[in-house]
Amino acid sequence: MYVYDEHDRQMAAERVAQFRDQTDRALSGELAEEEFLPLRLQNGLYIQRHAPMLRICIPYGMLRSAQLRRLAKVTRDYDKGYAHFTTRQNVQLNWPALENVPDILADLAEVEMHANQTSGNCIRNTTTDQFAGVQADEIADPRPYCELIRQWSTFHPEFAFLPRKFKVAVNASEHTDRAAIQVHDIGLQMVRNEAGELGFRVHVGGGLGRTPMVGPVIRDFLPEFDLLTYMEAVLRVYNRYGRRDNKFKARIKILVKALTPEGFAEKVEAEWEHIKDSPTRLTHEAVEHIRGFFTEPDYQSLDNATDLLAKQRFENREFDQWLSHNVDIHKKPGYAIASLTLKKTGIPPGDVTADQMETIADLADQYSFGEVRVTHQQNVVLADVRQDQLFDLWQAITPLGFATANLHTLNDIICCPGGDYCNLANAKSIPVAEAIQRRFDDMDYLYDLGDIDLNISGCMNACGHHHVGNIGVLGVDKKGDEFYQISLGGSSHHDAEIGKILGPSFAREQVPDVVSNIVDVYVEQRTAEENFLDTYRRIGIKPFKERVYA
Amino acid sequence: MPDVINTHGEIRQDQWQVIERPVEGEVLTLPDDQPVLIPADLWLAGDYAGNDRIGAWFDSHEEPEILAGRVNELPVIAVNFPKFVDGRGYSIARILRERLGYRGELRAIGDVLLDQLHYMKRCGFDAFTLRADKDSGKALQCLNVFSNSYQAATDNDLPLFRRRAS
């Protein structure tokens, strides 16, 4: 993991001092609310329905156990003893007091954490695959590039007041996309060209929200060292020409659409021509320096524990299920990737208490070299677990509720905080998630259904990624009442697609029935090899519509 | 007469007056007793080169590239921030400095507040006219709020990764 040097530490400290001064001036009235607004947002601070909300950055989802323990302490010292993992690999406190935020940020800075640019119209936290560095099929480890982007974008003087927020994601696997790069403002797919050189395929202008779009490719191959100059060109074109007259048309996707992807790409190339050989061009030494922080942990030379696991699976059916669903293959023999689910029915998806954070930190120290990863599906991952210790780990997490073997099933719901917490929400989302989880509580049935992404957002800002759920649920407001619109066929993976709206919306209590009906159609129509999305793509939306509105 | 602040936080007053774009059909009228900043396209269209009492200003939606090859005929160029959250002026400044090679005074005007001064300085502004209700005495602290930076900009063309490597 990246470790701060004196430069990082100095800038982090100066940032805290700056925000302390800004907060003082805001509290004294010297700084008007509208002047303080973008400053506090760029330090992660929203004013929410019940209290301020502080969004703390977890750069590309990576946490050390010491950082997790500090987060736990902060939630106890300044909040109500729990936090919420978000769909952008960040963590939110729901009840901090405004005047305490500078102290919270100072406490976080001690463990190399911050809330920089987690909100506001600037470049946000870069996200990536939670299996980065431990999966066999990646082109190269994406995390050094994420860190280079983090440094380049942090306090970038030209891009702190963009037309709208700007999100970047990097994916390195050839066969999967766990980072949903095609629905980001910039999505970077690592590739090698015919000469074997490393680079990126660049998508620009994807996004969810009010006008969901899959980002078109504007460059098939961007050489590795050109990453930052090219991004600077994209951002400059956006900063200059993105719409500022209408907040709902201000994202880069609207500009890309207006200019056409080809027209936008031409503008970027013309801008890039001026700066591509500037000192911002990466060097071999710079990349190697950062890559040096993402070396492999001290793996032991092991064989796969195939026989032991087979015996344990045979003796314990629940462990068998957990292994099938929540454990993934590691690039090193003898190791495995274990996902801890934060999706126990009755608990808001992504919520975690201070005690649980400390327990996860202990588990990370004991089983996974002291590192934890946060996923955009709001789960946490221990990425380097010895196969012969999986059973111990499973026994340890089962009583904690983290071993629910529902990963990727219909019950592994992505869900925003919704109307229970969020000012923007039209409708609650957490009770809808819970009602669906209660309806589908038979694990064998869930496993039989296979992988289904069900995503819930409480409003069209789409923090719950409903557009790219195989089944999407969107809260809408109808004359003051909460209703829910259902969409089908979305995907955030390599085959990214925006879901289609099924039809008129439903009252909250109808939603579990609607989901049941949809699932029934799939079960009746599927062939042996098909998952939900395959069946939907083959038969189209009509049979689902007919059943649901019969 | 508004205060003008330089990158060292020093405050002075000067006479430069910003002349608004005349409404359609009207001609540009300039006072003869003080130096003026006129819309950049009108400077280009007129015969003002060599007059060190006439500078130009850009609004945030305008294109600095129109002055390519001629920027250094101007004693002062100003960039207007219609609202402080309009970030286009930062790009305009960098293009004037880094692409067009402008060496004269680059002044931020309009909705210029304290907490943006540091970013403006990094993008090549070297003179700032704060909005009237803001305290010029706090400018120095805000200009120097960070003593280092990660990325290259007008003030330092070496990003931190190149300085670290050396």
Side-chain angles (χ1 to χ4, degrees):
Chain A
M1 249 182 91
Y2 185 70
V3 178
Y4 280 15
D5 69 6
E6 72 274 17
H7 303 293
D8 301 286
R9 276 193 294 276
Q10 182 183 21
M11 282 185 271
E14 287 169 347
R15 177 66 158 190
V16 173
Q18 180 193 37
F19 190 61
R20 194 180 292 283
D21 174 56
Q22 290 166 342
T23 304
D24 286 347
R25 283 187 280 133
L27 289 170
S28 75
E30 183 184 330
L31 207 51
E33 171 51 28
E34 58 159 27
E35 295 165 15
F36 184 51
L37 176 82
L39 308 178
R40 67 169 164 77
L41 288 176
Q42 296 202 17
N43 283 280
L45 186 63
Y46 281 82
I47 305 294
Q48 282 284 27
R49 185 158 289 203
H50 303 290
M53 180 275 277
L54 182 67
R55 183 180 294 153
I56 297 161
C57 188
I58 303 175
Y60 34 93
M62 299 279 299
L63 274 175
R64 282 188 286 268
S65 55
Q67 294 176 317
L68 198 49
R69 288 196 185 90
R70 179 57 58 96
L71 274 176
K73 182 174 181 330
V74 162
T75 66
R76 280 203 196 95
D77 290 351
Y78 301 101
D79 205 294
K80 294 189 175 180
Y82 69 94
H84 173 78
F85 285 112
T86 76
T87 55
R88 285 209 52 78
Q89 297 180 310
N90 289 323
V91 61
Q92 289 177 186
L93 305 186
N94 282 315
W95 315 90
L98 172 59
E99 61 272 22
N100 287 337
V101 172
D103 290 335
I104 297 175
L105 296 178
D107 286 2
L108 292 173
E110 287 178 2
V111 292
E112 305 181 1
M113 294 187 77
H114 61 79
N116 299 325
Q117 295 171 213
T118 54
S119 180
N121 296 332
C122 54
I123 305 169
R124 304 285 189 88
N125 183 24
T126 298
T127 51
T128 191
D129 187 336
Q130 64 266 25
F131 294 171
V134 293
Q135 59 189 336
D137 82 330
E138 69 189 10
I139 306 278
D141 191 336
R143 294 170 300 170
Y145 303 94
C146 293
E147 175 58 25
L148 285 160
I149 294 168
R150 180 193 77 80
Q151 297 193 12
W152 164 78
S153 61
T154 296
F155 317 141
H156 197 299
E158 187 179 346
F159 305 131
F161 294 95
L162 297 170
R164 200 76 175 81
K165 59 188 169 184
F166 200 93
K167 300 177 179 181
V168 182
V170 188
N171 185 50
S173 164
E174 287 179 87
H175 306 295
T176 54
D177 177 5
R178 296 183 196 87
I181 64 164
Q182 294 183 61
V183 288
H184 281 74
D185 296 286
I186 294 181
L188 298 164
Q189 173 65 44
M190 297 198 76
V191 287
R192 282 190 191 278
N193 65 9
E194 281 167 12
E197 293 156 337
L198 202 55
F200 302 89
R201 185 172 67 236
V202 184
H203 295 258
V204 177
L208 301 175
R210 196 171 286 249
T211 317
M213 282 183 209
V214 172
V217 175
I218 67 153
R219 198 169 224 282
D220 287 318
F221 186 77
L222 177 71
E224 173 193 8
F225 296 149
D226 294 322
L227 175 65
L228 300 182
T229 52
Y230 193 80
M231 287 183 67
E232 191 140 313
V234 171
L235 265 296
R236 183 170 288 165
V237 169
Y238 172 53
N239 190 43
R240 294 183 70 186
Y241 302 111
R243 284 182 64 172
R244 290 173 187 267
D245 59 324
N246 180 344
K247 156 179 185 182
F248 300 118
K249 297 191 186 298
R251 293 288 289 270
I252 195 172
K253 60 194 170 187
I254 305 291
L255 178 67
V256 173
K257 193 172 177 218
L259 295 174
T260 74
E262 298 73 28
F264 178 81
E266 270 174 38
K267 261 186 141 45
V268 170
E269 295 285 327
E271 174 59 41
W272 188 46
E273 208 42 51
H274 292 290
I275 57 175
K276 61 190 289 199
D277 297 317
S278 73
T280 295
R281 185 167 194 270
L282 286 167
T283 61
H284 177 73
E285 294 73 30
V287 174
E288 286 306 312
H289 172 69
I290 299 296
R291 196 170 276 145
F293 291 102
F294 298 93
T295 51
E296 288 186 352
D298 200 7
Y299 292 128
Q300 292 182 40
S301 164
L302 301 170
D303 291 326
N304 282 326
T306 315
D307 293 344
L308 175 67
L309 288 174
K311 181 170 171 290
Q312 290 167 330
R313 296 180 88 141
F314 182 74
E315 288 167 356
N316 192 314
R317 187 168 169 275
E318 286 182 344
F319 176 68
D320 178 49
Q321 296 289 18
W322 180 74
L323 214 55
S324 301
H325 292 275
N326 292 23
V327 177
D328 283 85
I329 294 165
H330 196 287
K331 67 178 181 184
K332 284 280 170 204
Y335 285 86
I337 308 168
S339 294
L340 277 51
T341 49
L342 304 181
K343 304 289 175 68
K344 197 175 160 63
T345 301
I347 310 277
D351 270 16
V352 55
T353 66
D355 289 350
Q356 288 175 326
M357 283 188 259
E358 284 165 349
T359 306
I360 294 170
D362 292 344
L363 292 168
D365 284 341
Q366 193 176 349
Y367 293 105
S368 197
F369 299 99
E371 281 184 6
V372 176
R373 297 154 182 231
V374 179
T375 80
H376 87 269
Q377 293 92 347
Q378 302 172 288
N379 294 313
V380 298
V381 169
L382 300 182
D384 297 296
V385 181
R386 282 175 59 148
Q387 291 175 5
D388 58 8
Q389 296 183 342
L390 282 167
F391 190 78
D392 294 345
L393 173 65
W394 175 75
Q395 284 191 310
I397 64 175
T398 297
L400 304 168
F402 298 151
T404 311
N406 64 2
L407 207 66
H408 310 308
T409 69
L410 186 66
N411 263 2
D412 183 19
I413 295 172
I414 295 182
C415 180
C416 72
D420 290 299
Y421 295 100
C422 178
N423 257 344
L424 304 171
N426 290 321
K428 292 187 180 180
S429 47
I430 292 168
V432 179
E434 186 178 339
I436 294 169
Q437 286 172 331
R438 291 201 188 282
R439 172 66 59 94
F440 293 92
D441 60 351
D442 177 346
M443 292 308 285
D444 287 324
Y445 184 56
L446 283 175
Y447 297 149
D448 176 61
L449 294 178
D451 289 2
I452 303 182
D453 293 343
L454 193 151
N455 299 353
I456 305 175
S457 304
C459 76
M460 66 183 90
N461 289 305
C463 296
H465 299 185
H466 64 276
H467 300 105
V468 290
N470 303 159
I471 301 174
V473 180
L474 166 66
V476 291
D477 178 274
K478 274 196 187 171
K479 299 188 179 113
D481 285 327
E482 296 183 354
F483 277 80
Y484 296 86
Q485 189 180 73
I486 309 293
S487 57
L488 294 182
S491 166
S492 66
H493 302 280
H494 273 327
D495 57 353
E497 198 167 328
I498 304 297
K500 281 199 178 63
I501 294 167
L502 190 62
S505 53
F506 300 95
R508 190 192 301 164
E509 56 275 15
Q510 292 176 288
V511 174
D513 287 339
V514 172
V515 174
S516 285
N517 282 330
I518 290 166
V519 167
D520 287 346
V521 173
Y522 155 63
V523 170
E524 291 160 21
Q525 303 255 6
R526 67 181 167 182
T527 66
E529 313 77 44
E530 282 181 340
N531 66 22
F532 178 84
L533 193 58
D534 297 331
T535 303
Y536 169 83
R537 283 178 173 166
R538 178 171 55 80
I539 67 176
I541 202 165
K542 198 161 160 255
F544 295 96
K545 208 177 221 166
E546 284 168 358
R547 176 73 55 91
V548 168
Y549 294 101
Chain B
M1 199 66 23
D3 289 346
V4 180
I5 300 157
N6 68 13
T7 52
H8 304 292
E10 293 157 357
I11 302 163
R12 64 171 200 275
Q13 295 197 315
D14 69 21
Q15 305 289 316
W16 288 99
Q17 188 188 350
V18 178
I19 305 296
E20 296 290 324
R21 178 177 298 282
V23 293
E24 209 153 324
E26 300 284 314
V27 290
L28 191 68
T29 47
L30 303 180
D32 40 11
D33 57 338
Q34 66 183 127
V36 291
L37 298 165
I38 64 174
D41 57 314
L42 300 183
W43 180 88
L44 203 61
D47 184 23
Y48 303 108
N51 186 338
D52 62 5
R53 288 169 64 80
I54 297 185
W57 69 276
F58 285 100
D59 210 346
S60 64
H61 64 278
E62 293 172 341
E63 306 266 316
E65 287 90 342
I66 63 167
L67 290 185
R70 298 198 58 189
V71 279
N72 286 315
E73 297 171 28
L74 282 151
V76 177
I77 299 177
V79 176
N80 183 44
F81 287 80
K83 290 190 197 126
F84 77 97
V85 291
D86 181 344
R88 289 176 287 191
Y90 299 97
S91 291
I92 294 174
R94 287 193 72 183
I95 290 166
L96 285 168
R97 289 289 194 207
E98 296 173 44
R99 185 157 313 158
L100 307 185
Y102 177 57
R103 294 184 300 273
E105 181 184 300
L106 186 56
R107 180 179 293 204
I109 61 172
D111 199 24
V112 178
L113 314 182
L114 288 162
D115 292 291
Q116 288 70 42
L117 292 178
H118 171 75
Y119 287 154
M120 289 176 177
K121 180 174 87 166
R122 292 216 62 212
C123 289
F125 288 103
D126 56 3
F128 313 91
T129 309
L130 284 179
R131 200 175 72 192
D133 60 321
K134 294 294 161 190
D135 179 2
S136 303
K138 292 204 170 145
L140 180 62
Q141 183 198 340
C142 291
L143 281 162
N144 295 328
V145 67
F146 288 102
S147 56
N148 199 351
S149 53
Y150 285 110
Q151 57 298 101
T154 309
D155 64 335
N156 186 348
D157 66 4
L158 287 183
L160 184 55
F161 67 74
R162 283 185 189 260
R163 287 179 275 134
R164 272 177 174 145
S166 61

